[in-house]
Amino acid sequence: MRNYPLEMEVAGPLAMFARVDTGGTPTSYPVPTWSAAKGLFDAIAFLADGAAWIAPTRVEICRLRGGVGGSVRYESYATNYGGPLRKKKLVTDGDNMQLFATVLADVRYRLHAEVRGEPVTGRNPRHQLHEMFQWRLERGKCHHAPALGWREFTCSYWGPFREDTEVDEGLSLTIPSMLVGVWDRPVAGAYAPRYAQDARVERGVMVYAQ
């Protein structure tokens, strides 16, 4: 079967891919999770019937060409939270709570993926989604603004690879336990989180566990 590869670059001043073990004061993973990367691709194009979907395969941690690299930058962040995890009294009174987090700063990623799906009589949904994504990416079109984890961290850039971006080959690290996916299926799945142990970033590149 023919392969349908996709790629895009994303960047932004702040990013948050929350480690699930950090609880109410979350800290970000150093790279996007598989689910977060899929969300970035889906923000550009997806098929509502789920006949084909975009599966991230790897992420490249990048920097401005010629810039200083070899490390991941973190920054303290505080915001007002008004969601359901507030204390009962805050919910009753209609008050927010302050949420403190440790987020990533000044990120650039090159994301790679492939279109997957099952054959459908009379059409090729993988080819359809591949062409749709390429067309929309080149024209700067999206369903909603691509975000780097938390929805308020919208990308300052998303689109084709840029010439002034390079992979940060000086960065290698191990993530002891990393969330791979939240659902048991790529489309209309049930909640079933999966984790990868000792995920590696080698010379700025991490291959997603499948």
Side-chain angles (χ1 to χ4, degrees):
M1 297 177 66
R2 177 184 167 185
N3 292 327
Y4 291 92
L6 293 173
E7 59 187 29
M8 68 182 296
E9 180 179 333
V10 295
L14 296 173
M16 177 51 150
F17 312 109
R19 284 173 40 191
V20 295
D21 61 328
T22 52
T25 54
T27 297
S28 180
Y29 288 114
V31 293
T33 63
W34 186 91
S35 293
K38 184 176 186 299
L40 285 160
F41 282 104
D42 288 349
I44 311 302
F46 64 91
L47 294 184
D49 63 3
W53 61 89
I54 298 173
T57 54
R58 76 178 191 273
V59 56
E60 297 170 346
I61 303 174
C62 298
R63 64 186 179 189
L64 184 67
R65 186 173 297 278
V68 177
S71 63
V72 178
R73 286 187 55 201
Y74 287 94
E75 188 170 296
S76 297
Y77 181 80
T79 186
N80 287 324
Y81 172 74
L85 300 181
R86 291 171 295 165
K87 293 182 178 179
K88 184 176 180 180
K89 187 176 188 308
L90 292 176
V91 175
T92 302
D93 295 344
D95 293 331
N96 293 333
M97 61 175 265
Q98 273 201 304
L99 177 66
F100 297 93
T102 303
V103 303
L104 300 172
D106 297 326
V107 299
R108 288 189 182 212
Y109 302 111
R110 285 178 172 174
L111 301 172
H112 299 260
E114 60 184 30
V115 181
R116 299 177 182 171
E118 300 300 326
V120 175
T121 302
R123 69 184 250 256
N124 183 344
R126 293 192 301 156
H127 178 78
Q128 177 188 356
L129 181 54
H130 182 269
E131 294 301 304
M132 180 191 304
F133 181 90
Q134 298 282 48
W135 188 90
R136 293 176 66 86
L137 186 73
E138 291 170 2
R139 290 161 177 77
K141 296 182 178 294
C142 59
H143 292 288
H144 57 80
L148 295 164
W150 284 356
R151 189 59 64 89
E152 63 260 43
F153 296 158
T154 54
C155 296
S156 59
Y157 175 82
W158 55 271
F161 289 177
R162 296 178 290 183
E163 292 184 359
D164 67 349
T165 294
E166 65 180 2
V167 178
D168 186 357
E169 295 186 351
L171 180 62
S172 295
L173 53 86
T174 299
I175 305 171
S177 180
M178 185 172 185
L179 181 68
V180 174
V182 179
W183 316 105
D184 62 354
R185 292 184 297 173
V187 179
Y191 180 70
R194 295 176 294 112
Y195 299 86
Q197 306 305 312
D198 295 324
R200 283 288 298 166
V201 174
E202 296 283 359
R203 295 176 61 85
V205 179
M206 188 182 78
V207 177
Y208 285 115
Q210 299 300 307

